[in-house]
Amino acid sequence: GKQATTAQTSVIIGANCADNAVLTSDGNVFIGYTCARAVTSGGGVFIGQGAGDAVSTALRNTLIGTDAGGALTTTTGSDDNTFVGHNAGLAANGGAQNTIIGSLAGDGLTTGDANVIIGYGAGSAVITSGNNTFIGASAGAVVTSGGGVFVGQNAGGSVTTALRNVLIGTTAGFALTTTTGSDNNVMIGSGAGDSANGTASNVFIGDRCAESLTTGTGVFVGARSGDSVTTALGNTLIGLD
């Protein structure tokens, strides 16, 4: 903070921390080598080596972890983010109101807003998509746009651009990718619909429910319900097995 001018009630600790900007904002906490190097106004809580080191005027951000939020700059709307973890939100610039927690979580996000991304590598390819919830290690790991609600380890792990899907459970909806029409699905349960790709408007609820289905549309409810079905034609299957 060697160039701080009118700043007050701030805590600045670490070599080269907040050292390149004329700091005028109050109430900041900057701790770590080279963190917050460019902040002039705005700021927040930046803790960790290189945390928020490109931020100049973005407001009310909490960046904790090595290089967390390292690309946030002056872009309008890069405010009110919480990034916690090594490289969490590393590429974010222009995104706002995102909550990203976990090592490498959301590290490809650039301008998407209002995402909740929690877990190691979760949502790590998100580029511009917003309003998603990805919770679990590698949940929604390759989503670039589109998305939805993915909860569970590897839930929606192959989805890139499919829209408005709700995938809850380990590997639920894992194989959904970019195929036209892989949208508007609800897949709940460990392994539910984990082979589905190019299929839309399905409801699969239950452990391993419809786990072999690749195409078509149906409603399958119950543990292992329709687990051997590969192509659905408007089927409704309810009950165990």
Side-chain angles (χ1 to χ4, degrees):
K2 65 185 179 182
Q3 298 194 65
T5 56
T6 61
Q8 301 179 54
T9 62
S10 290
V11 176
I12 301 173
I13 301 173
N16 299 322
C17 179
D19 69 338
N20 284 344
V22 179
L23 181 62
T24 61
S25 59
D26 302 333
N28 296 294
V29 176
F30 302 146
I31 301 175
Y33 175 69
T34 72
C35 89
R37 297 195 72 180
V39 171
T40 57
S41 62
V45 177
F46 302 174
I47 300 175
Q49 179 178 328
D53 61 356
V55 173
S56 57
T57 60
L59 304 172
R60 300 175 300 274
N61 290 291
T62 300
L63 313 174
I64 300 175
T66 301
D67 292 324
L72 287 173
T73 58
T74 62
T75 304
T76 301
S78 297
D79 306 326
D80 302 298
N81 295 291
T82 299
F83 300 158
V84 179
H86 175 76
N87 282 357
L90 176 65
N93 183 20
Q97 301 167 4
N98 294 290
T99 300
I100 299 176
I101 301 174
S103 182
L104 304 178
D107 61 344
L109 177 73
T110 55
T111 59
D113 299 330
N115 293 290
V116 176
I117 301 173
I118 300 175
Y120 172 80
S124 62
V126 171
I127 305 298
T128 59
S129 186
N131 303 299
N132 296 295
T133 299
F134 302 146
I135 300 176
S138 298
V142 296
V143 171
T144 56
S145 62
V149 176
F150 303 172
V151 179
Q153 182 181 7
N154 286 320
S158 298
V159 174
T160 54
T161 60
L163 304 172
R164 299 176 297 276
N165 290 291
V166 176
L167 312 174
I168 300 176
T170 301
T171 72
F174 179 82
L176 290 172
T177 58
T178 61
T179 304
T180 301
S182 296
D183 307 326
N184 304 308
N185 294 291
V186 175
M187 301 179 182
I188 300 175
S190 178
D194 64 357
S195 296
N197 183 23
T199 181
S201 303
N202 292 286
V203 176
F204 302 151
I205 300 176
D207 178 63
R208 295 171 54 190
C209 175
E211 65 176 349
S212 300
L213 184 108
T214 56
T215 57
T217 300
V219 176
F220 300 172
V221 179
R224 297 187 300 279
S225 175
D227 60 350
S228 298
V229 175
T230 58
T231 302
L233 300 172
N235 306 73
T236 299
L237 306 177
I238 299 176
L240 177 67
D241 292 324

